[in-house]
Amino acid sequence: MVIVRPGQAHSFGENEDWDGWILLVRPDFLWAASSPEGMRLGFDMKRLPSCICLDAGDLERAATAMQWMRLDAARAEGASLEPFSDEPGAPPEYFEDLQCHLRYAFYSLVSWLAMSSGDKGPRDSHGQPILRRFNHFKGLVEKHLVEWRSISAYSTAMGCTERSLTRAALEAEGISAKEYLTRRLCLEAKRLLVHTNSPVGVIADKLGFKEATHFSKFFRRVAGCTPQQFRAANGHG
């Protein structure tokens, strides 16, 4: 099971013979980590590892849970398989109950996955502040990726030293804060190259590079090929 978070992309490669489930979750579907609800509902999705290896029994359990969620979402008479569509034939309160039911079902699934993967996240008093710092850094990167290109800009905004920020990144991701920023910028470049028809010069400008040649040098250093080669290799030849 692969967990793809906001800011990440996943490619299945050239092999098209895949069979499985893809569960898409909107951010507004999740309870906030500071949820005032009585139960422990503020589950932090960041606690889940990027990849969870399930044996045959656990895989069947996870697939069955997703299948039931899909079937429950389609129970309203005349409703499609879209969970929150307002198709005729189901009263408005049905969809309110349905959303609540699906949320509980989803949290049941992810909390079981957390236990199965041996999660120790929030109970690790030493790692929690470091993880919070890194998550704060990630949030700022998503907002200021183009404008803020130096780690000092992020550490200043966070009120910490560059050293402590790098230590948090190493603890959370195994790479420095600068390397995380570099990879995130390269990922954004790859997205624009694959999912738009914009010229390389336009993409360079969008990403804050003053010259297209500077962008090409950066991309080649990080991705191992030129922007044009990457675009051609991913179906935009």
Side-chain angles (χ1 to χ4, degrees):
M1 176 171 288
V2 179
I3 312 296
V4 183
R5 297 180 173 84
Q8 295 181 322
H10 182 75
S11 171
F12 289 98
E14 297 180 359
N15 186 357
E16 298 181 356
D17 189 24
W18 289 94
D19 181 28
W21 290 89
I22 296 179
L23 180 60
L24 303 177
V25 184
R26 296 196 303 265
D28 57 337
F29 184 73
L30 303 175
W31 277 295
S34 58
S35 173
E37 303 287 343
M39 297 176 61
R40 186 169 176 264
L41 301 177
F43 185 88
D44 186 357
M45 288 296 293
K46 300 181 184 70
R47 286 169 49 190
L48 289 178
S50 298
C51 182
I52 302 174
C53 295
L54 303 175
D55 60 26
D58 285 348
L59 181 60
E60 182 179 1
R61 175 173 174 174
T64 300
M66 287 187 240
Q67 184 178 15
W68 274 112
M69 290 171 68
R70 181 173 183 264
L71 292 173
D72 288 341
R75 285 186 60 190
E77 182 180 355
S80 69
L81 291 179
E82 287 294 327
F84 309 116
S85 62
D86 293 323
E87 295 282 347
E93 58 269 20
Y94 173 87
F95 294 100
E96 295 178 8
D97 292 340
L98 175 62
Q99 183 168 356
C100 183
H101 167 71
L102 291 176
R103 182 181 283 117
Y104 277 110
F106 174 73
Y107 272 79
S108 175
L109 173 62
V110 294
S111 60
W112 167 71
L113 287 170
M115 291 187 297
S116 299
S117 63
D119 170 61
K120 298 293 185 299
R123 289 169 284 281
D124 184 352
S125 59
H126 172 70
Q128 192 174 7
I130 293 178
L131 184 60
R132 282 202 302 266
R133 176 169 291 166
F134 179 71
N135 288 336
H136 185 191
F137 169 62
K138 284 175 63 177
L140 288 176
V141 169
E142 294 306 310
K143 291 180 181 179
H144 305 286
L145 178 65
V146 174
E147 314 100 88
W148 296 0
R149 304 292 280 276
S150 68
I151 298 304
S152 61
Y154 292 94
S155 61
T156 299
M158 294 171 61
C160 67
T161 65
E162 293 182 43
R163 192 176 197 176
S164 61
L165 179 54
T166 294
R167 187 165 56 245
L170 286 169
E171 183 76 19
E173 293 285 317
I175 57 177
S176 68
K178 183 176 181 178
E179 179 64 19
Y180 177 86
L181 184 60
T182 297
R183 292 185 185 184
R184 181 63 186 87
L185 187 62
C186 186
L187 173 62
E188 194 62 29
K190 288 179 178 179
R191 282 179 165 178
L192 292 172
L193 287 166
V194 172
H195 297 294
T196 74
N197 293 317
S198 300
V200 171
V202 173
I203 292 176
D205 185 63
K206 284 183 179 180
L207 295 178
F209 289 89
K210 293 182 179 180
E211 299 287 343
T213 53
H214 296 166
F215 168 64
S216 295
K217 288 179 180 179
F218 163 82
F219 192 88
R220 187 183 186 96
R221 175 174 60 83
V222 180
C225 62
T226 67
Q228 294 87 346
Q229 289 170 338
F230 179 82
R231 176 172 266 175
N234 288 273
H236 282 253

